[in-house]
């Protein structure tokens, strides 16, 4: 494996910050990513990260063999079934597609409410930003492939830098922390970013496969259970591969057999369904009849594989293991 009821977002205006003009450049995003970044007029930086981000995006340097998380993988950063009202335009501090979330009818009604991870990933910032910017207590999660989510103004942070978190895992609580002297009401400031070119890297938020209804919308959370794997077997194996068979590994995972008709290669990937984001024993293997078995086995956070081999017009044996469950196929799929 390679690895606000009555919206109070207006209170999110960060007061007393120096007004530096920044031109918002158009976002250059590959056509495969189903999101866009709009160009904007010069704006004043207020409640945002400074152009020089303090975090080291350790997971952004993914190799070409690694999968890219899709925009549609993200869920609302609140527990399953909760309804939250989001607004991107009520704060003059916003530069692009940022969202302030509330659900209570008073300014601080949401103080202390649970905030959870919108998708699985690695915590790369968990700190009070102090006088650096208006984020106050901030958690940033790196989801790989250049994708990251920001959770700002938290009252408490529940995770530390370096932690691997699952989708739906608690990462903090709604708060009103900011720069010294900034008086804001309790809310969650949420951002999705792709790449490092701030602020043009701020993306439209997508929840449960649907783009947020900018500038304001009330959304019900489908972030239920925290067991969604942010990757698909097609992403793991690469362009041109399609699933032709699969086998469940209890509740721990599923092993998939894929085939690429353009080059005659098979691919096997074992996708975890439990302990997402935590390294646990996972295996994937592929054996083309007449050739040696190829196996990828180890402690992996999301999947084992990809295991690829030329298998056109040859029978293949494939399988994998996750948790205590395993699957071993007979030789088959001899024509693909």
């Amino acid at each position: 494996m390679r690895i606000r009821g009555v919206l109070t977002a207006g209170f999110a205006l960060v007061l007393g910050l120096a007004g530096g003009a920044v031109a918002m450049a158009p976002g250059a995003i590959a056509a495969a990513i189903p999101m866009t970044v709009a160009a904007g007029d010069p704006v004043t930086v207020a409640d945002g990260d400074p152009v020089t981000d303090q975090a080291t995006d350790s997971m952004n340097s993914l190799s070409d063999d690694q999968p890219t998380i899709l925009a549609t993988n993200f869920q609302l950063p609140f527990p399953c079934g909760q309804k939250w009202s989001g607004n991107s335009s009520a704060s003059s501090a916003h530069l692009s597609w940022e969202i302030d979330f509330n659900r209570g009818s008073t300014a601080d009604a949401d103080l202390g409410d649970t905030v959870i991870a919108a998708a699985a990933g690695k915590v790369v910032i968990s700190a009070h930003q102090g006088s650096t910017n208006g984020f106050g207590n901030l958690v940033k999660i790196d989801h790989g492939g250049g994708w990251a989510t920001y959770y700002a103004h938290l009252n408490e942070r529940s995770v530390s830098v370096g932690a691997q978190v699952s989708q739906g895992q608690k990462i903090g609580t709604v708060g009103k922390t900011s720069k010294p002297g900034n008086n804001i009401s309790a809310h969650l400031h949420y951002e999705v970013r792709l790449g490092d070119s701030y602020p043009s890297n701020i993306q439209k938020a997508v929840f449960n496969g649907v783009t947020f209804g900018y500038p304001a919308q009330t959304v019900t959370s489908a972030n239920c259970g925290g067991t969604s794997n942010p990757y698909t077997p097609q992403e793991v194996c690469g362009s041109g591969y399609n699933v032709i068979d699969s086998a469940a590994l209890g509740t721990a995972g599923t092993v998939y057999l894929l085939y690429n008709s353009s080059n005659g290669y098979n691919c096997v990937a074992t996708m975890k369904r439990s302990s997402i984001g935590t390294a646990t024993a996972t295996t994937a293997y592929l054996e083309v009849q007449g050739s040696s078995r190829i196996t990828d086995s180890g402690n992996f956070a999301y999947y084992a594989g990809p295991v690829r081999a030329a298998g056109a017009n040859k029978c293949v044996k494939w399988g994998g293991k996750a948790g205590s469950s395993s699957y071993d196929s007979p030789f088959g799929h001899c024509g693909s």
Side-chain angles (χ1 to χ4, degrees), residues 101-196:
F101 280 107
N102 288 101
R103 64 174 180 163
S105 58
T106 61
D108 288 339
D110 310 318
L111 184 65
D113 282 1
T114 296
V115 177
I116 61 179
K122 181 179 180 180
V123 178
V124 293
I125 294 179
S126 179
H128 195 296
Q129 298 288 290
S131 59
T132 303
N133 53 47
F135 277 162
N137 273 322
L138 172 69
V139 169
K140 175 184 176 181
I141 302 175
D142 189 330
H143 305 286
W147 292 98
T149 49
Y150 286 64
Y151 312 78
H153 308 311
L154 299 174
N155 189 47
E156 295 179 346
R157 293 173 280 109
S158 305
V159 291
S160 301
V161 170
Q164 294 283 352
V165 297
S166 303
Q167 186 177 61
Q169 180 177 333
K170 183 178 179 178
I171 60 171
T173 59
V174 175
K176 52 181 179 179
T177 57
S178 187
K179 270 191 172 185
N182 287 342
N183 296 315
I184 63 175
S185 64
H187 68 281
L188 177 69
H189 175 103
Y190 174 81
E191 298 182 19
V192 180
R193 299 190 189 182
L194 177 61
D196 300 318

Side-chain angles (χ1 to χ4, degrees), residues 148-310:
T149 49
Y150 286 64
Y151 312 78
H153 308 311
L154 299 174
N155 189 47
E156 295 179 346
R157 293 173 280 109
S158 305
V159 291
S160 301
V161 170
Q164 294 283 352
V165 297
S166 303
Q167 186 177 61
Q169 180 177 333
K170 183 178 179 178
I171 60 171
T173 59
V174 175
K176 52 181 179 179
T177 57
S178 187
K179 270 191 172 185
N182 287 342
N183 296 315
I184 63 175
S185 64
H187 68 281
L188 177 69
H189 175 103
Y190 174 81
E191 298 182 19
V192 180
R193 299 190 189 182
L194 177 61
D196 300 318
S197 183
Y198 179 84
S200 63
N201 59 345
I202 302 175
Q203 304 295 295
K204 285 186 175 181
V206 175
F207 303 118
N208 200 37
V210 180
T211 302
F212 180 76
Y214 289 91
Q217 184 183 17
T218 297
V219 185
T220 300
S221 176
N223 200 338
C224 306
T227 58
S228 296
N229 197 311
Y231 305 109
T232 67
Q234 293 91 337
E235 291 175 275
V236 173
C237 287
S239 177
Y241 285 90
N242 295 297
V243 174
I244 59 173
D245 207 344
S246 66
L249 303 172
T251 60
T254 303
V255 58
Y256 294 89
L257 175 67
L258 298 88
Y259 184 68
N260 189 327
S261 59
S262 66
N263 61 17
Y265 272 67
N266 283 101
C267 178
V268 176
T270 298
M271 312 302 298
K272 294 177 58 176
R273 293 175 55 201
S274 63
S275 301
I276 303 298
T278 301
T280 58
T282 314
T283 300
Y285 74 83
L286 173 63
E287 181 181 337
V288 178
Q289 198 162 32
S291 301
S292 298
R293 178 174 296 188
I294 306 171
T295 302
D296 183 34
S297 182
N299 292 321
F300 302 129
Y302 301 103
Y303 58 85
V307 179
R308 306 183 187 94

Side-chain angles (χ1 to χ4, degrees), residues 21-47:
V22 177
M24 188 184 297
I29 301 176
I33 304 297
M35 302 186 77
T36 59
V37 174
D41 296 326
V43 294
T44 299
V45 175
D47 182 16

